[in-house]
């Protein structure tokens, strides 16, 4: 399964884009900030959004290719 996701994320493009999921953006605004866990976070778009908005973020993914991508 890890090889599947490494293949998916091996492109230089961000597979799901760099913008956080719209539903997630809306829901995070409705609740008090605190700690949030993003398992299977892929390229990190949702975790980055949450961190930039004051959340204490914990995220992980099994794909080494996804973890190598960086947001600027």
């Amino acid at each position: 399964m890890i090889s599947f996701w490494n293949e998916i994320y091996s492109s230089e493009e961000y597979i799901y884009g760099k913008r956080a999921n719209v539903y997630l953006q809306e829901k995070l605004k409705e609740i008090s900030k605190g700690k949030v866990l993003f398992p299977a976070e892929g390229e990190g778009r949702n975790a980055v959004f949450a961190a930039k908005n004051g959340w204490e973020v914990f995220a992980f993914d099994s794909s080494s290719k996804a973890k190598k991508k960086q947001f600027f």
Side-chain angles (χ1 to χ4, degrees):
M1 191 62 152
I2 294 172
S3 62
F4 170 80
W5 287 109
N6 277 335
E7 185 176 330
I8 296 294
Y9 292 125
S10 65
S11 167
E12 288 189 27
E13 293 178 33
Y14 285 80
I15 302 306
Y16 298 103
K18 290 186 176 182
R19 294 188 61 170
N21 176 284
V22 174
Y23 179 80
L24 174 81
Q25 291 180 47
E26 293 171 0
K27 292 302 169 186
L28 287 183
K29 291 176 187 174
E30 296 176 3
I31 56 177
S32 299
K33 291 180 177 111
K35 295 179 182 180
V36 62
L37 173 65
F38 291 97
E41 176 53 359
E43 297 159 315
R45 66 193 179 117
N46 296 317
V48 169
F49 174 83
K52 285 182 175 180
N53 285 279
W55 289 82
E56 186 176 352
V57 175
F58 300 89
F60 63 90
D61 196 276
S62 60
S63 170
S64 60
K65 298 286 186 179
K67 291 186 276 189
K68 287 182 181 179
K69 293 187 178 180
Q70 298 180 9
F71 281 83
F72 294 100

